[in-house]
């Protein structure tokens, strides 16, 4: 009897259920009655406190297009809390649960922080397989994460809607797109939505250059400007602040609102801010994500069958690749300011607000 654990960790996204379905269906197809799948509730919390439900093949039916996660999720456990808290050793607790269920392997569907914890568990001797989840597409070792394309669709739709009202009123609109550290989502939605200015954390902006881009459009007779701005985008001055100083500043004033005020001061134009927020993580996965999730899930099952552990199931040039978790842990895949996509975006006249 094979015994596999499964959990979803970190911020949710649209294709978590589709991915678990891929793993579950492939495993039940291969092992028949000789497999038991334990789903831990609310991410690593469930693993720590042994809260779980046994998943049957029926649990994996009818969830391909369902957003959210049938297992629940929570932020990964070491971000805000210490590893040992009030005498409770979290790593020891997770190992205990793993041993208690006599698991052959644990499948972790998660982003950066969650894969870092997965690697920690690997170092502690557990068999772990990671699956790349995040709307930010900032996970190192894979070209694509599930959730990203759906979020791009939603953020693009938001920019499309803003376009018509911005044009009617002749306003500047800032659409704040998710992504604190990485600008992948903003860059893609900004291009797809036809934004005039794209601001991302990887390319700090100069407020004067942003104002100039707005005024250039006005001089060309275009009465509105669309700015796609990542929540983590920052000015050149803010980029030189210490992390704590910037966090303090941001807690009282989000970057988009500060930028809006500055644009009005410099250009006299009326500015509105739109924050699609968590709509970008909600609802049904798009067909692209359903296909990607199915492939990643089936590939994870293949790794279970071959006992290939300690890896993230990545995709590179449309081929599934096992990426060692130690190569993934603690690294981010950010937008390269020198990349082709950035150069091509500049070529059609979209400003990154830096010059
Ligand atoms: O990591 C995914 C993400 O949606 C980021 O883009 C965003 O900055 C963050 O999570 C929001 O986190 P929370 O749901 O905890 O507010």
């Amino acid at each position: 009897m094979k015994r596999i654990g499964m959990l979803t960790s970190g911020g949710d996204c649209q294709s978590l259920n589709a991915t678990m379905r891929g793993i579950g269906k492939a495993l039940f197809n291969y092992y028949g009655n000789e497999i038991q799948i334990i789903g831990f509730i609310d991410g690593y919390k469930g693993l720590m406190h042994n809260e779980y439900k046994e998943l049957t093949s029926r649990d994996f039916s009818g969830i391909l297009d369902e957003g959210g996660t049938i297992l629940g999720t929570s932020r990964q456990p070491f971000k805000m809390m210490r590893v040992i808290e009030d005498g409770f050793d979290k790593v020891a607790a997770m190992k205990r649960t793993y041993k208690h269920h006599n698991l052959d392997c644990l499948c972790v569907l998660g982003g950066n922080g969650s894969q870092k914890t997965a690697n920690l568990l690997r170092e502690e001797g557990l068999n772990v397989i990671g699956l790349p989840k995040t709307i930010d597409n900032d996970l190192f070792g894979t070209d694509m994460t599930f959730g990203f394309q759906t979020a791009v669709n939603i953020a693009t739709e938001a920019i499309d809607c803003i376009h018509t009202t911005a044009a009617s009123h002749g306003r500047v609109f800032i659409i704040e797109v998710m992504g604190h550290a990485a600008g992948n989502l903003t860059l893609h939605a900004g291009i797809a939505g036809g934004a005039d200015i794209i601001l991302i954390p990887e390319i700090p902006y100069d407020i004067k250059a942003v104002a100039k881009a707005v005024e250039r459009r006005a001089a060309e007779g275009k009465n509105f400007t669309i700015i796609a701005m990542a929540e983590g985008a920052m000015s050149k001055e803010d980029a030189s602040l210490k992390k704590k100083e910037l966090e303090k500043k941001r807690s009282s004033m989000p970057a988009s609102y500060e930028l809006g005020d500055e644009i009005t001061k410099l250009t006299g134009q009326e500015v509105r801010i739109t924050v699609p927020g968590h709509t970008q993580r909600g609802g049904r996965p798009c067909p692209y994500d359903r296909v990607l999730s199915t492939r990643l899930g089936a590939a994870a099952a293949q790794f279970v069958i071959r006992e290939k552990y300690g890896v993230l199931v990545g995709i590179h040039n449309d081929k599934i690749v096992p990426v060692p978790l130690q190569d993934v842990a603690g690294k981010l895949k950010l937008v390269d300011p020198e990349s082709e996509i950035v150069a091509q975006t500049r070529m059609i006249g979209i400003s990154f607000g830096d010059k």
Side-chain angles (χ1 to χ4, degrees):
M1 176 70 82
K2 262 285 200 239
R3 299 178 61 83
I4 304 300
M6 197 182 273
L7 61 85
T8 55
S9 168
D12 74 339
C13 73
Q14 297 88 349
S15 217
L16 284 161
N17 287 329
T19 308
M20 289 192 276
R21 170 183 177 270
I23 305 172
K25 280 195 179 258
L27 286 177
F28 277 111
N29 274 343
Y30 185 85
Y31 289 106
N33 293 331
E34 298 298 303
I35 178 124
Q36 206 148 28
I37 303 184
I38 313 286
F40 293 100
I41 308 298
D42 294 345
Y44 286 114
K45 258 195 212 166
L47 185 63
M48 259 185 267
H49 300 293
N50 195 21
E51 284 159 6
Y52 66 94
K53 57 179 168 195
E54 281 186 26
L55 298 170
T56 66
S57 62
R58 289 177 76 100
D59 290 307
F60 296 107
S61 282
I63 60 169
L64 173 63
D65 63 344
E66 244 181 49
T69 158
I70 55 168
L71 291 179
T73 186
S74 59
R75 284 286 172 195
Q76 62 91 24
F78 307 125
K79 202 171 174 184
M80 289 166 278
M81 304 176 265
R82 286 200 301 275
V83 177
I84 298 176
E85 203 174 46
D86 297 333
F88 180 68
D89 185 331
K90 295 173 187 176
V91 175
M94 289 195 272
K95 283 168 72 177
R96 219 168 24 245
T97 306
Y98 183 99
K99 297 251 151 64
H100 168 78
H101 289 283
N102 200 15
L103 295 179
D104 292 288
C105 172
L106 175 71
C107 292
V108 174
L109 286 71
N112 284 302
S114 309
Q115 298 306 340
K116 209 168 156 188
T117 302
N119 186 48
L120 178 75
L121 296 178
R122 178 197 65 81
E123 285 168 352
E124 291 288 320
L126 308 192
N127 296 329
V128 188
I129 294 175
L131 288 113
K133 169 239 70 161
T134 167
I135 63 162
D136 298 331
N137 195 23
D138 60 353
L139 200 57
F140 195 83
T142 183
D143 293 348
M144 192 54 67
T145 57
F146 60 84
F148 177 68
Q149 294 293 344
T150 308
V152 170
N153 290 356
I154 295 170
T156 302
E157 185 87 12
I159 298 174
D160 285 348
C161 291
I162 291 302
H163 244 111
T164 55
T165 174
S168 308
H169 287 266
R171 287 169 170 160
V172 175
F173 261 92
I174 301 174
I175 298 108
E176 188 191 286
V177 178
M178 273 192 165
H180 271 121
N184 299 305
L185 181 54
T186 308
L187 177 61
H188 283 254
I191 295 171
D196 308 299
I197 302 173
I198 296 177
L199 304 177
I200 54 175
E202 296 88 338
I203 307 179
Y205 61 83
D206 173 354
I207 176 59
K208 290 206 184 78
V210 176
K212 211 167 81 192
V214 171
E215 282 174 334
R216 197 181 316 123
R217 278 182 59 79
E220 286 166 0
K222 292 166 180 162
N223 72 337
F224 71 94
T225 299
I226 302 287
I227 305 177
M229 179 180 195
E231 24 173 32
M234 62 189 98
S235 65
K236 290 186 181 180
E237 293 84 62
D238 283 355
S240 64
L241 292 178
K242 290 205 175 80
K243 199 175 166 215
K244 281 254 156 20
E245 287 170 340
L246 186 58
E247 272 169 14
K248 192 165 170 232
K249 186 174 174 196
R250 284 290 152 259
S251 64
S252 57
M253 173 72 112
S256 52
Y257 283 84
E258 189 182 357
L259 178 70
D261 287 350
E262 284 170 330
I263 291 174
T264 302
K265 266 189 224 138
L266 290 172
T267 68
Q269 293 216 33
E270 199 180 352
V271 181
R272 291 286 187 276
I273 320 281
T274 294
V275 185
H278 287 76
T279 61
Q280 293 162 97
R281 286 209 328 231
R284 304 162 74 200
C286 67
Y288 179 99
D289 272 334
R290 297 182 203 185
V291 174
L292 177 66
S293 287
T294 303
R295 291 185 63 191
L296 292 169
Q302 187 71 268
F303 290 168
V304 169
I305 292 161
R306 293 191 186 143
E307 301 186 353
K308 181 147 193 65
Y309 304 131
V311 294
L312 176 88
V313 187
I315 187 155
H316 184 54
N317 292 336
D318 204 37
K319 288 262 177 300
I320 296 291
V321 281
V323 189
L325 278 173
Q326 64 266 36
D327 295 348
V328 173
K331 289 188 207 152
L332 279 181
K333 185 181 72 190
L334 300 174
V335 173
D336 175 2
E338 305 304 325
S339 58
E340 265 193 25
I341 186 169
V342 169
Q344 289 148 354
T345 307
R346 288 190 196 277
M347 278 179 73
I348 68 150
I350 297 176
S351 166
F352 284 90
D354 57 332
K355 48 192 171 199

